[in-house]
Amino acid sequence: MSKEATRDALLTAARSEFAAYGIAGARVDRIAERAGVNKERIYGYFGSKEKLFDQVMESVLDEMAEVVAMPGDDPIDYVGKIHDFYLANPELTRLLMWESLHYREDALEGQHRRIARCAAKAESLAAGLGREPSPEVSRTMMTLIGLAAWPMVMPRLGRIVVGEEFGTEEGHRRMREHLVDFVRTALNHAPPGAADGETRENTDGEPGGNAEPVSGRGTAREV
């Protein structure tokens, strides 16, 4: 097995191990056994179990960045795609939660890279909303991510609140539709298929004098 193949095998095995047991509970011998290599390779390639975890997190977040476009392209679609990614990659939510529990307030390895990536997303969202980058836009960004991920973070709570349908394929579809509709309303976007020049109803449900034209895709207003 080549060095690159060995490294990839270790990262794949480590992802499952860390997701199941966390950083403290993960065992390098189990990771090595899953990868089919000697556990000394872990220390040779990564230096420590903690640094292996950091590499796992970096690879997972890189995968998400490749799949999900910047939020400014379409903030509503962004929430749907983030939700889809978390649903298809349940290990990610567990990894993020284990990371928060283990490191708590400590700085993370490669934190500057994550800060830069999140800043770029916030700037993209600000542009998509027609606003200047600000802490308020960053808070909106945090809220959108939280909404998209929460159903996977708390699946048991979802079944308690919504019912057993919550964990089914149909339940996932309905939850996604609800999230997208909720964010569309929160960001004050037009509904899909709105014709060019269509006016938005006022708060009383009647076409109001202050209504503004909206595009077919919906133009973001103040959050």
Side-chain angles (χ1 to χ4, degrees):
M1 187 182 296
S2 68
K3 182 176 180 179
E4 183 177 352
T6 299
R7 187 177 184 279
D8 289 344
L10 285 170
L11 286 172
T12 299
R15 181 185 299 195
S16 297
E17 178 75 9
F18 285 127
Y21 300 103
I23 303 173
R27 292 177 54 182
V28 293
D29 55 345
R30 284 198 299 251
I31 294 173
E33 183 178 356
R34 288 186 183 188
V37 301
N38 188 295
K39 70 178 182 181
E40 295 305 318
R41 294 288 187 92
I42 293 176
Y43 299 105
Y45 288 167
F46 302 101
S48 68
K49 182 171 68 171
E50 287 74 15
K51 289 184 178 179
L52 172 58
F53 178 83
D54 294 336
Q55 286 297 308
V56 167
M57 290 302 303
E58 183 174 330
S59 66
V60 173
L61 294 174
D62 283 347
E63 288 175 15
M64 185 165 70
E66 290 178 5
V67 172
V68 183
M70 282 290 188
D73 295 342
D74 187 335
I76 298 169
D77 185 56
Y78 176 77
V79 171
K81 287 183 176 178
I82 286 283
H83 176 270
D84 292 343
F85 189 88
Y86 277 105
L87 182 61
N89 299 272
E91 291 175 339
L92 177 55
T93 55
R94 293 195 289 271
L95 289 168
L96 288 168
M97 293 172 74
W98 282 120
E99 182 182 62
S100 295
L101 289 169
H102 185 83
Y103 289 110
R104 296 186 183 275
E105 300 301 322
D106 295 341
L108 300 172
E109 180 71 22
Q111 183 165 306
H112 64 284
R113 186 165 179 247
R114 290 204 206 177
I115 291 174
R117 177 179 285 170
C118 289
K121 290 180 180 179
E123 289 176 3
S124 173
L125 178 61
L129 297 175
R131 303 173 63 181
E132 293 296 322
S134 69
E136 185 62 25
V137 172
S138 296
R139 283 188 282 270
T140 300
M141 183 74 222
M142 183 69 178
T143 300
L144 296 181
I145 295 172
L147 286 171
W150 187 247
M152 276 64 72
V153 173
M154 291 291 172
R156 184 177 297 275
L157 179 61
R159 290 194 296 272
I160 291 172
V161 174
V162 179
E164 289 303 317
E165 179 208 63
F166 183 82
T168 67
E169 183 175 345
E170 177 66 11
H172 293 319
R173 183 187 66 79
R174 291 185 177 184
M175 190 70 231
R176 187 190 195 278
E177 289 178 352
H178 170 78
L179 288 171
V180 168
D181 288 343
F182 185 91
V183 172
R184 180 179 292 111
T185 300
L187 297 183
N188 203 17
H189 278 56
D196 288 345
E198 181 182 352
T199 56
R200 196 185 311 280
E201 293 182 350
N202 65 15
T203 54
D204 294 325
E206 297 293 333
N210 294 327
E212 298 179 23
V214 296
S215 68
R217 176 183 161 195
T219 302
R221 308 296 184 217
E222 290 294 316
V223 177

